[in-house]
Amino acid sequence: MMNSPLVPGTIKAIWQEERDNVLTHEPVLQLINAPISALPTGASQSKYSRKPSSAAISPIHVEKALQRRQLERGMIFRLKSYTVNQGGAQKTKLLIITDFEYITTELIHGTPEPVDRVMQAIRTNPLGSNQSHNLQSIQPDYVGSRPTDESRVNNALRVSRGINAAPAPTKPSVSEHVNVCPIQNITPYQNKWTIKARVVQKSEIKHWTNARGDGKLFNVTFMDESGEIRATAFNDQVDQFYDMLEENKAYYVSKARVNIAKKQFSNVRHEYELSFESGTEIRQARSAIPAIQYNFVEIGQLMNYEKDSSIDIIGVVKEDHGLSSIISKSTQKLVSKRELTIVDKSMYQVRLTLWGKHAETFDGSNEPVIACKGVRINEFGGRSLTTMYSAILQIDPEIPEAETLRDWYNSKAGSIEFNSFTPGMVGISNGSAGQNTDERKTLAEIKDLNLGMGEKASSSIFIPDFFTVKGTIIFIRSENFCYPACPVDSKKVTEESDKTWRCEKCSKSYDSPDYRYILSIGIADHTGQAWLQAFNDVGAQIMGKTATELHTRKVEDETSFSVAMMEANFKTYIFRCRAKMDNFNDTTRVRYTIYTASPIDCVAECQKLISIIDKYNV
């Protein structure tokens, strides 16, 4: 009993939130009652019940403890992470345990009492000599640390009442004994928390002007062992914190507002985000924080991910296409841009576009390894990658994946021919990324395999499939075969009363539009028929003229227009297409979109047929 790790006064210090007290740093407590231990192993988290006036243990850790049969009366454990909150209608304090470490199980000695009741009695009668309350309990339904002998109990009581007592422990440095909350546990329902995290990304200061006035902001991404979270500072907080926060340095952060994360502006994987306020406290931490955590995707697997997905990628910079600049359509400002070609061990290469300061500071002269966190997948050219403003880039990072990739590339350099992505490559549902799209399917197979109807797990988002089919055009709908488009950004324009055409996207008017194709094409093969959709580039290839030219024929000479439509029929192509579920007017259907339409190469087709026949002769 004398060797027990329990220390008198621990729960009192926790209850009074004495952050400077060494007893509150990873304290050791004993569980004096565990009514939920009667739950069967594997019980649903939603069935865990707690009184609102009791200390609470995180359901995730409760479930793990139940599975190990460790959550039981008398358990002694060390609190690795916790917070103290006000809860309930009477503002009773709650001890929220988010991580703990099992030590042992012992008998409970004494009769622990609720700490709030004891402290109230002490405030009422601070010098009373008849009180025998045990200050080593907090909410007896759940946790408590027990005395080890009578003298230690009496000493703890004397300390609590301000009477002569044993010397208090040396006061530790505040920054070394803060009760840290893991980032993954941050929610709006906690009113007191402190995170200790590394700044892995800091944006430039952005300025805005609107009807309500002017303003400025910047974003930072914090990361610890449990995850990452985004924080935003506005106006006065920009002046207060921008110079203070530096990338790759660790900080303690508290008293920031917790909001629902705006996923459209961030690739950070957290349900919530932080907003700095006038009372927000930030100070630098001296101890180390883990490095950036990546979840890399191989380049060859990019076709397995939906367009606009955010991923982490690592590759060797095979080619740096140099720094350039463009005018942003949204801000009309000059933006720096750099395009790279990166490769990895999947034997594929992909185009990666860097923007802003990432583009300006990058040096690809020595074919470095680049690790990127939070890049977006585009469909241009089959697959390409682009950095968001919140992306994190590391050049030749000191991580095992980079070292392995560098050794592999150095041993293979000059002897590898890397594959490139094309618009018709097979997607997630019907084959591995990079599959040869010359493995064609018939129209019957496309329907039998339900291509385009794949659904992501636990969501209603449908994912596309890609396929190649040989078919003959049998009909092209002449109604609504094109639409009037803006000459600048190809968005649809509307005709105004003065015979000009207005583009809402660029807020300009034009004397005439630029017509663009949106064709509905019926094709057939020996197994069936299907309707495919073709947009402007493919439409111009099939029709042999631009949509503007064909629209002019329809207006000026209906007969010539009909002849042009008929001439496009009964031609055979190799179509590379995408199949994806689409909702239109409350109707769900699979839409097949043509990416490329290649005329038949008679020699290649004959060789293909011969190889198929040879298989039957084996």
Side-chain angles (χ1 to χ4, degrees):
M1 182 168 63
M2 295 300 295
N3 294 326
S4 173
L6 300 174
V7 179
T10 299
I11 285 185
K12 169 181 172 289
I14 294 173
W15 192 86
Q16 293 184 325
E17 301 182 60
E18 299 173 358
R19 295 190 177 186
D20 296 347
N21 194 330
V22 69
L23 295 179
T24 64
H25 179 59
E26 295 194 355
V28 177
L29 304 177
Q30 184 174 32
L31 190 70
I32 64 171
N33 196 13
I36 59 175
S37 63
L39 287 173
T41 300
S44 170
Q45 293 178 11
S46 62
K47 296 181 181 179
Y48 296 149
S49 61
R50 302 177 182 79
K51 298 180 182 179
S53 62
S54 302
I57 298 179
S58 166
I60 296 174
H61 296 91
V62 168
E63 184 174 25
K64 292 179 179 179
L66 281 171
Q67 292 171 355
R68 296 192 300 264
R69 300 187 179 278
Q70 290 178 348
L71 191 65
E72 57 186 358
R73 183 178 172 84
M75 177 184 80
I76 295 179
F77 59 97
R78 176 178 289 103
L79 291 188
K80 305 292 288 184
S81 175
Y82 68 93
T83 56
V84 178
N85 282 348
Q86 297 284 352
Q90 299 179 353
K91 299 298 183 182
T92 304
K93 288 192 176 182
L94 304 178
L95 176 61
I96 309 298
I97 302 173
T98 50
D99 192 13
F100 68 90
E101 176 185 25
Y102 174 82
I103 298 177
T104 185
T105 300
E106 294 183 4
L107 294 175
I108 298 173
H109 295 264
T111 56
E113 297 182 30
V115 68
D116 53 352
R117 190 187 312 161
V118 176
M119 297 305 297
Q120 178 62 33
I122 292 174
R123 285 193 294 267
T124 303
N125 186 14
L127 297 178
S129 59
N130 295 325
Q131 300 289 342
S132 60
H133 296 292
N134 183 344
L135 293 183
Q136 313 316 312
S137 69
I138 179 170
Q139 304 301 349
D141 284 346
Y142 281 86
V143 296
S145 61
R146 62 170 179 80
T148 55
D149 58 38
E150 185 175 352
S151 63
R152 294 172 70 188
V153 176
N154 292 335
N155 188 58
L157 286 168
R158 294 169 65 86
V159 170
S160 69
R161 299 177 187 178
I163 307 173
N164 292 334
T170 303
K171 188 174 182 178
S173 168
V174 174
S175 63
E176 291 302 318
H177 295 293
V178 172
N179 294 324
V180 173
C181 176
I183 283 178
Q184 68 176 1
N185 293 332
I186 291 292
T187 72
Y189 310 108
Q190 295 174 265
N191 54 19
K192 293 183 180 179
W193 51 262
T194 299
I195 61 171
K196 176 185 175 185
R198 178 195 297 272
V199 174
V200 294
Q201 179 272 337
K202 184 177 81 167
S203 74
E204 299 175 346
I205 297 176
K206 300 177 176 62
H207 297 265
W208 80 83
T209 301
N210 56 32
R212 292 180 293 178
D214 300 331
K216 57 185 176 181
L217 64 85
F218 79 94
N219 305 110
V220 291
T221 301
F222 291 107
M223 177 178 289
D224 67 5
E225 299 94 332
S226 69
E228 57 186 356
I229 194 168
R230 182 175 182 253
T232 304
F234 296 92
N235 300 325
D236 291 344
Q237 281 64 56
V238 173
D239 299 332
Q240 182 178 0
F241 296 122
Y242 188 80
D243 292 333
M244 175 192 299
L245 295 171
E246 300 180 34
E247 290 185 355
N248 295 318
K249 289 189 177 181
Y251 298 86
Y252 290 104
V253 182
S254 61
K255 300 181 182 180
R257 188 170 73 249
V258 182
N259 303 315
I260 298 293
K262 297 179 179 65
K263 296 296 185 181
Q264 67 271 33
F265 301 123
S266 171
N267 61 291
V268 175
R269 301 178 181 92
H270 200 292
E271 186 178 355
Y272 302 103
E273 61 186 20
L274 305 179
S275 180
F276 296 155
E277 300 182 306
S278 58
T280 297
E281 296 180 359
I282 302 177
R283 64 181 184 276
Q284 190 168 344
R286 292 196 298 269
S287 51
I289 291 292
I292 298 172
Q293 301 171 0
Y294 290 100
N295 185 20
F296 291 122
V297 172
E298 280 196 343
I299 295 175
Q301 297 297 316
L302 292 181
M303 293 300 294
N304 287 2
Y305 290 81
E306 179 76 348
K307 177 181 178 291
D308 294 329
S309 296
S310 175
I311 64 165
D312 302 343
I313 201 82
I314 185 170
V316 178
V317 179
K318 179 172 173 285
E319 188 174 359
D320 182 349
H321 300 275
L323 183 66
S324 61
S325 59
I326 63 170
I327 300 294
S328 170
K329 291 182 179 179
S330 58
T331 65
Q332 299 300 310
K333 295 181 179 179
L334 201 64
V335 180
S336 299
K337 173 184 177 183
R338 183 186 297 269
E339 292 190 340
L340 311 174
T341 298
I342 64 173
V343 300
D344 68 6
K345 295 174 70 174
S346 68
M347 310 298 288
Y348 271 81
Q349 64 184 23
V350 69
R351 184 68 60 92
L352 170 64
T353 303
L354 309 183
W355 299 94
K357 65 177 183 180
H358 291 147
E360 294 168 0
T361 59
F362 182 81
D363 180 7
S365 57
N366 295 319
E367 296 185 323
V369 173
I370 183 171
C372 310
K373 186 174 186 64
V375 297
R376 188 177 65 206
I377 297 178
N378 291 335
E379 259 183 357
F380 179 78
R383 279 295 183 267
S384 62
L385 302 173
T386 185
T387 56
M388 303 171 66
Y389 69 87
S390 58
I392 300 170
L393 270 65
Q394 285 191 308
I395 310 303
D396 289 324
E398 295 181 0
I399 56 177
E401 294 90 341
E403 295 176 5
T404 301
L405 187 59
R406 168 56 62 195
D407 292 342
W408 168 82
Y409 186 77
N410 288 341
S411 65
K412 301 290 185 179
S415 62
I416 307 175
E417 184 175 346
F418 292 96
N419 298 306
S420 299
F421 291 99
T422 61
M425 295 182 69
V426 175
I428 186 171
S429 296
N430 61 329
S432 61
Q435 182 175 336
N436 187 349
T437 54
D438 286 337
E439 296 177 4
R440 300 175 195 161
K441 289 179 170 51
T442 65
L443 293 177
E445 288 175 330
I446 293 166
K447 295 177 181 179
D448 291 343
L449 292 171
N450 293 322
L451 296 188
M453 298 178 67
E455 187 175 350
K456 287 184 177 178
S458 303
S459 76
S460 58
I461 301 175
F462 291 95
I463 53 180
D465 289 303
F466 298 86
F467 63 89
T468 300
V469 63
K470 182 173 75 171
T472 301
I473 297 175
I474 58 175
F475 188 75
I476 301 177
R477 288 177 178 160
S478 58
E479 304 85 2
N480 302 319
F481 72 93
C482 66
Y483 69 93
C486 173
V488 176
D489 60 18
S490 303
K491 299 295 183 182
K492 188 174 182 178
V493 296
T494 55
E495 188 173 11
E496 298 180 311
S497 57
D498 59 356
K499 303 302 181 181
T500 61
W501 298 80
R502 177 72 176 175
C503 176
E504 298 299 333
K505 174 70 174 179
C506 61
S507 300
K508 294 181 180 179
S509 296
Y510 301 92
D511 293 335
S512 61
D514 179 20
Y515 287 92
R516 296 178 66 86
Y517 281 113
I518 180 170
L519 294 176
S520 291
I521 301 174
I523 70 167
D525 67 4
H526 63 287
T527 66
Q529 302 177 9
W531 285 98
L532 309 181
Q533 187 177 60
F535 292 103
N536 197 59
D537 293 343
V538 174
Q541 178 187 355
I542 291 174
M543 300 306 301
K545 53 187 63 64
T546 67
T548 300
E549 292 172 341
L550 194 58
H551 180 268
T552 301
R553 284 198 186 190
K554 185 175 184 179
V555 172
E556 298 177 353
D557 187 350
E558 184 71 27
T559 300
S560 176
F561 169 75
S562 298
V563 170
M565 296 296 289
M566 291 298 296
E567 287 179 345
N569 289 326
F570 307 111
K571 294 182 179 179
T572 302
Y573 295 88
I574 306 297
F575 296 104
R576 291 180 174 176
C577 307
R578 183 187 74 173
K580 187 178 182 181
M581 190 68 75
D582 179 55
N583 290 311
F584 182 74
N585 290 338
D586 296 326
T587 301
T588 301
R589 62 178 180 178
V590 177
R591 186 183 298 275
Y592 304 117
T593 302
I594 303 173
Y595 276 101
T596 62
S598 304
I600 296 296
D601 183 334
C602 294
V603 174
E605 284 300 299
C606 288
Q607 292 175 343
K608 186 176 183 66
L609 290 172
I610 291 172
S611 66
I612 294 173
I613 294 171
D614 288 342
K615 293 179 181 179
Y616 288 93
N617 294 330
V618 176

